[in-house]
Amino acid sequence: MTPDTRTAWNDLLQEFRPPHSDSDPYTPAMWTLLQAASRHPLLRTMYPGLSTTMLTFSRTDDFFAREGERFPVIGAAAGEFGVCAYPVSEDNILLVTDDVEEAVALAARLLAEQLDSSTPSKTSTDR
């Protein structure tokens, strides 16, 4: 985790810490998701992004530099958590569960696979 990603997570957690007003679009399920995701070592190395019902991840805090990133997202609503592959659509929902840790673990595994596949492998001349 870099100081920048640590700050991004801490700011997000502080901003969305309960209590929430009745008109607040952020639900108790989203707070549960934010807490669980912030504890995951890999997810904490990524910049978090938040829409009303989805937590996104990026290598950068610059929205315009995210083109080409196709990381999974985790949704939270009505006590359920869903993991969706990119692009976000009903057809790309991979998991819906009431277990936030299960959703976080799947998203982290998918993210790790994508990061590993995007890292150039070493050739014998690199060693």
Side-chain angles (χ1 to χ4, degrees), residues 13-35:
L13 288 167
Q14 187 61 38
E15 184 176 350
F16 294 103
R17 184 174 310 281
H20 299 120
S21 71
D22 291 340
S23 62
D24 194 332
Y26 297 100
T27 65
M30 181 56 76
W31 176 244
T32 300
L33 172 58
L34 290 174
Q35 289 178 299

Side-chain angles (χ1 to χ4, degrees), residues 99-119:
D99 182 348
V100 70
E101 298 296 337
E102 182 181 14
V104 166
L106 176 59
R109 183 176 58 79
L110 296 170
L111 185 61
E113 289 171 2
Q114 287 181 287
L115 291 171
D116 287 346
S117 70
S118 68
T119 304

Side-chain angles (χ1 to χ4, degrees), residues 78-92:
E80 290 188 322
F81 307 93
V83 178
C84 189
Y86 182 89
V88 175
S89 74
E90 268 190 45
D91 293 338
N92 289 335

